[in-house]
Amino acid sequence: MRNTAMNVVTPLRTAAEQALAAAVEQRLQSQPVAGRIGELRRAAATAFSEGGLPTRRVEEWKYTDLKAILRDAVPLAGPLDASAEAEGSFKALTVPGAKRILFVNGALARPASDLLALESGIAALPLESAIASNDPLAERIGALQPQRYDAPLALNTVFLGEGLLVRVAAGAKIAAPLHIANVFTGDDPVATYGRVVVVVEDGAEVTLVESFQGRDGVAYQTNTALELFVGDGAHVDLVRVQEEGDAALHLSTVMVEIGREAQLHTFALNSGAKASRTSLYGRFGGQHSHAGLRGANLLKGKQHQDTTLLLDHAVPHCESRELFKTVLADESHGVFQGKIVVRPDAQKTDGRMMSRALLLGEAAEMDNKPELEIFADDVQCGHGATAGDLDEDLLFYLKARGIPQRQAEALLVQAFVGEAIEFVENEALRELIIARAETWLAKRA
């Protein structure tokens, strides 16, 4: 809408945006927070008021029109009851040998969580408790921010409440993975906003797992954010498994700061939700570090999945590898937008990025947009993207040896995604991911 008298453009707000704006205002008034956290929430509210939900006109959301997808602003989830907690504990993904922290319908399920049974060297504190007690770790909340406005992150910050703060002490070698499980169990659509902040101090080693499961047929909305600080000489493996219900909306923001001589390996498996988007922002803050960012997306029906990442090589002598595999059946739609930025001082950067898509349905669609933005001259960087059908020669070879069509296709798909899965370092986790992929293939058949 154009106001000709003032010659300014007033954007039209959808019903969902208006409802979200009202919920934002109500949240600020009903749960005021002083200090830095209060300032963060108010700044995020202002940003959402000005920016609203992104459309295709916003370059980072060109292939995922969130304003069109998020048609209804469902209410915030209410308090957790015993029956929901019990169901959530039963349905949560089981990670062998892991210590689990369980969130059900966005709320911490304390009795079903190993908060007091963690190894020496790792501590976890409920986010609300940390804010109320002015815990020093709470100062890390909101310390990592993308350079541009991010609508899901702004909303997550406004509704900041439930979540977890994790600290891994300097030099600690944590043997058991820490599993942060999120489960939705309700019959009515609600929205949850979870925030996890993980500080891995210098020289520490830890494996982190985030999982998301939910009930089919319910149009609930998950908005989650993770801030991960990887200290100098630290080694972090992050595995995320997104298996939301088939009518859900999943919005995820991952922000990472990588220190000097550090190792970060991430893997994401996305096979759930009607529509999902993961925004990953990573930055090298110290020299001689390595980051490997990988994932596999398994889509069918009319699912929409968007992986958008920005990796900032801000210092010299760092190496990054990105590999994402997407399998698309039926009328599903996949999106990969990846950008590697090499700053002027980041000489000797080595960055490689690849996205590959396997189209199993004639109506399936993949949008690939890999980018390099290089401001230094002594670098080795490359990117690529492919999209295609199953190899007919390989399929014929398998069928000629008596393997049925569906089984032959499944074997080729397993080999296709296996190239990314093999980088999961923890053997039990790697086997778990393979099993989840096989389950998806079996259901499709």
Side-chain angles (χ1 to χ4, degrees):
M1 178 183 298
R2 180 175 294 276
N3 185 330
T4 56
M6 299 291 293
N7 197 31
V8 296
V9 176
T10 303
L12 292 172
R13 298 300 188 195
T14 64
E17 285 180 309
Q18 293 175 35
L20 283 169
V24 165
E25 184 63 27
Q26 195 275 334
R27 180 75 167 194
L28 293 179
Q29 292 181 3
S30 63
Q31 297 186 22
V33 178
R36 194 181 67 87
I37 300 299
E39 293 176 0
L40 276 176
R41 291 174 61 182
R42 289 188 292 272
T46 300
F48 179 76
S49 176
E50 295 173 352
L53 296 175
T55 67
R56 295 181 186 273
R57 294 184 179 182
V58 179
E59 185 65 24
E60 293 82 2
W61 295 82
K62 181 178 180 179
Y63 306 106
T64 302
D65 190 337
L66 188 58
K67 182 175 285 193
I69 292 173
L70 208 164
R71 295 181 179 276
D72 298 307
V74 298
L76 294 176
L80 181 62
D81 59 51
S83 61
E85 182 176 325
E87 182 180 350
S89 183
F90 174 74
K91 291 187 174 181
L93 181 70
T94 299
V95 177
K99 298 295 185 180
R100 188 181 71 179
I101 310 297
L102 178 64
F103 289 87
V104 179
N105 300 343
L108 177 62
R110 291 175 181 263
S113 298
D114 296 322
L115 282 171
L116 303 179
L118 301 179
E119 293 178 47
S120 175
I122 183 170
L125 183 66
L127 188 142
E128 277 190 316
S129 301
I131 293 176
S133 63
N134 293 316
D135 188 280
L137 202 59
E139 291 298 315
R140 298 284 190 141
I141 300 172
L144 298 182
Q145 295 282 343
Q147 294 182 352
R148 296 185 179 181
Y149 167 68
D150 186 291
L153 180 60
L155 289 171
N156 184 281
T157 303
V158 171
F159 296 112
L160 198 64
E162 291 284 357
L164 196 68
L165 299 182
V166 178
R167 174 181 172 269
V168 183
K173 315 298 182 185
I174 308 303
L178 178 64
H179 177 202
I180 303 171
N182 300 270
V183 182
F184 175 80
T185 65
D187 294 318
D188 299 317
V190 294
T192 62
Y193 297 86
R195 176 72 64 104
V196 175
V197 179
V198 181
V199 179
V200 182
E201 296 182 345
D202 297 351
E205 296 181 8
V206 68
T207 297
L208 304 170
V209 183
E210 277 195 300
S211 66
F212 302 87
Q213 275 79 34
R215 182 176 294 181
D216 287 340
V218 183
Y220 66 93
Q221 298 171 5
T222 299
N223 183 324
T224 177
L226 169 65
E227 295 181 78
L228 174 58
F229 300 84
V230 182
D232 296 345
H235 188 142
V236 178
D237 294 313
L238 171 64
V239 175
R240 310 181 83 236
V241 180
Q242 188 272 105
E243 297 175 324
E244 302 275 22
D246 59 10
L249 170 65
H250 179 94
L251 301 173
S252 180
T253 309
V254 179
M255 298 159 286
V256 183
E257 177 80 10
I258 307 169
R260 175 175 50 84
E261 298 178 357
Q263 296 279 327
L264 170 67
H265 298 277
T266 74
F267 179 85
L269 177 68
N270 290 294
S271 63
K274 180 179 180 180
S276 64
R277 155 93 174 205
T278 297
S279 301
L280 195 157
Y281 305 96
R283 179 181 181 275
F284 285 101
Q287 298 186 32
H288 301 287
S289 292
H290 172 88
L293 313 177
R294 300 174 178 96
N297 306 308
L298 306 174
L299 310 178
K300 61 185 178 180
K302 294 185 178 181
Q303 283 182 288
H304 175 98
Q305 200 285 322
D306 181 337
T307 296
T308 296
L309 69 87
L310 171 63
L311 190 58
D312 187 351
H313 282 263
V315 296
H317 299 284
C318 288
E319 180 182 78
S320 65
R321 295 291 185 268
E322 294 82 44
L323 175 63
F324 288 84
K325 299 292 192 81
T326 303
V327 180
L328 303 108
D330 307 318
E331 301 175 57
S332 56
H333 182 201
V335 178
F336 174 80
Q337 298 183 105
K339 178 184 285 189
I340 295 175
V341 178
V342 182
R343 301 295 176 183
D345 294 332
Q347 304 294 345
K348 303 296 183 181
T349 288
D350 184 352
R352 315 281 172 167
M353 177 168 52
M354 175 61 71
S355 168
R356 298 189 186 278
L358 186 59
L359 305 174
L360 303 181
E362 293 184 1
E365 180 182 353
M366 183 71 192
D367 288 305
N368 275 315
K369 187 187 175 187
E371 297 178 90
L372 297 175
E373 199 170 277
I374 301 173
F375 301 99
D377 50 15
D378 189 3
V379 303
Q380 297 184 51
C381 291
H383 64 61
T386 64
D389 302 329
L390 286 170
D391 189 311
E392 291 295 334
D393 291 337
L394 289 176
L395 197 58
F396 176 80
Y397 176 86
L398 294 174
K399 291 166 63 178
R401 278 147 183 81
I403 300 176
Q405 171 88 12
R406 281 289 190 179
Q407 187 177 349
E409 288 183 358
L411 288 171
L412 293 179
V413 172
Q414 287 178 34
F416 176 76
V417 299
E419 185 182 353
I421 296 174
E422 68 180 12
F423 287 98
V424 177
E425 295 190 354
N426 183 289
E427 183 178 355
L429 273 174
R430 186 168 60 251
E431 293 300 321
L432 174 65
I433 297 297
I434 293 172
R436 307 308 284 188
E438 290 176 346
T439 299
W440 182 88
L441 288 168
K443 288 182 178 179
R444 177 179 171 268

